Amino acid sequence: DRMVAVLDEIERMECALDALNSADVSCADWDELGDAALRWWRLMDRAQVVGAMLLRAAEVAKVHAGSGYRDVSEWIASSTNTSRGSALYSLRLAEVLEASPQVAEAVKSGEVTAAAAARLCTVLREAPADADHSTLVDAVASQPPAAAQRAADAWFRSVTTETPEQNHASAAR
């Protein structure tokens, strides 16, 4: 069963985190600490993708039904003592990954960060169905989230046939 395999991998990750939490890094040198910090940050970015897809699957399955919560974001926020905003962020990321295989692949490969990808939700929702997402990936690759948003907005304007007034409204997003 695939879900058993997923749960097994999560358990392995929990064990690895327990080991990392007890690791003594006080004797590491500057290069080792820098390498470890960068690798960890990139790993957490990849973990956000997994979390987003799991939360989206939970949303589709309506795991919150009967729990008294209005939606999966409220359920996960309450169940994990986090914010509903964090859950909604994950759901936006999942929407982007589902909407664009090209963006999903770029995020999984590290070319686009999860934070930058989450900013693409609106432009992907409103872009024409035949828009070339590979040019969107090229525009936002290696950009921090705010710059990725600006690049995505410019991409959106280039692929739409909006009037100048509509373009101005899109730019104000």
Side-chain angles (χ1 to χ4, degrees), residues 30-106:
W30 188 84
D31 287 332
E32 291 170 326
L33 285 172
D35 183 48
L38 288 172
R39 289 176 64 189
W40 179 258
W41 209 254
R42 290 178 181 129
L43 180 64
M44 290 300 92
D45 202 59
R46 291 172 57 198
Q48 283 185 33
V49 171
V50 174
M53 297 310 292
L54 285 171
L55 188 58
R56 174 68 180 127
E59 179 182 48
V60 170
K62 299 191 182 311
V63 298
H64 64 283
S67 67
Y69 297 105
R70 65 179 163 184
D71 59 27
V72 75
S73 63
E74 193 175 272
W75 169 78
I76 198 77
S78 178
S79 300
T80 61
N81 295 318
T82 188
S83 72
R84 186 166 184 259
S86 293
L88 292 171
Y89 165 86
S90 289
L91 291 171
R92 279 192 310 275
L93 176 58
E95 182 180 337
V96 167
L97 300 174
E98 289 176 350
S100 176
Q102 296 92 332
V103 172
E105 186 55 41

Side-chain angles (χ1 to χ4, degrees), residues 1-12 54:
D1 180 48
R2 287 177 38 178
M3 201 59 215
V4 170
V6 169
L7 291 170
D8 286 347
E9 291 303 320
I10 291 171
E11 186 173 340
R12 286 180 48 193
L54 285 171

